[in-house]
Amino acid sequence: MTVINNLPAHVLFVHFIVVLLPLTAVLEIVCAVWPAARRGHLVWLTLISAVVVMVLTPITINAGQWLYNLRKNPDAIVREHADRGDTLLYFAIALLVVAIILTAVHVVERRGASLHALVPIAVAVLTLVVGVASLVQTYRVGDAGSQSVWGNEIAHLQKASGS
């Protein structure tokens, strides 16, 4: 699926990633550092969100690669965006792994079993590292993508309109 309604599929799918990946990261952090949130249904929403991100990320990357391959000589910023975008798959995998760990902790706690005191701390640290890294990388990928599309466009539009 490379074109949807005469638009590049990447342009449409990227919006899901831009919203869902950071949302998943924030939900995971909340579940990791706030035990009451983990005890409720939020952990299940987090897991579902991580699964959706895991499914959509490679689809978005493939659609982006198709778009990239249409260019004969991509600009440096487009190459940078493509290179950074390819790394998001690893962040999606990490978010899914963390969501599974958080869900496992939730299930163990729900069954009344006790965890070693260091387990929630280790899970929180892992979650913070993965979550913050995912947020930063999503920003970096999006910034490069935005610059590749809009970098000089505002100046051109202002010049054309005489502003």
Side-chain angles (χ1 to χ4, degrees):
M1 182 180 321
T2 52
V3 178
I4 298 173
N5 200 26
N6 293 323
L7 292 173
H10 179 71
V11 175
L12 301 171
F13 285 129
V14 77
H15 288 90
F16 289 113
I17 299 301
V18 167
V19 172
L20 287 179
L21 195 144
L23 177 64
T24 302
V26 170
L27 287 172
E28 287 182 356
I29 291 169
V30 168
C31 286
V33 300
W34 187 22
R38 186 173 57 244
R39 282 186 222 115
H41 297 295
L42 191 59
V43 73
W44 297 107
L45 175 63
T46 304
L47 179 60
I48 291 167
S49 181
V51 169
V52 171
V53 166
M54 188 64 240
V55 169
L56 288 178
T57 298
I59 293 170
T60 305
I61 290 170
N62 287 337
Q65 288 170 343
W66 174 82
L67 196 56
Y68 179 87
N69 291 335
L70 290 178
R71 295 175 178 255
K72 291 183 186 200
N73 189 19
D75 298 345
I77 192 70
V78 174
R79 286 192 304 273
E80 184 177 329
H81 173 64
D83 291 342
R84 288 180 182 176
D86 287 343
T87 68
L88 277 186
L89 181 60
Y90 302 109
F91 290 89
I93 292 167
L95 286 169
L96 181 59
V97 168
V98 167
I100 291 168
I101 292 169
L102 286 167
T103 305
V105 168
H106 166 75
V107 169
V108 168
E109 290 174 339
R110 193 82 176 194
R111 291 184 178 164
S114 62
L115 293 168
H116 189 280
L118 292 179
V119 170
I121 294 169
V123 170
V125 170
L126 173 67
T127 303
L128 283 168
V129 169
V130 169
V132 170
S134 297
L135 290 168
V136 169
Q137 188 64 1
T138 302
Y139 171 81
R140 293 178 72 232
V141 173
D143 181 60
S146 297
Q147 291 296 330
S148 72
V149 173
W150 294 99
N152 295 321
E153 189 64 23
I154 300 300
H156 290 188
L157 290 172
Q158 287 175 332
K159 185 177 180 182
S161 70
S163 301

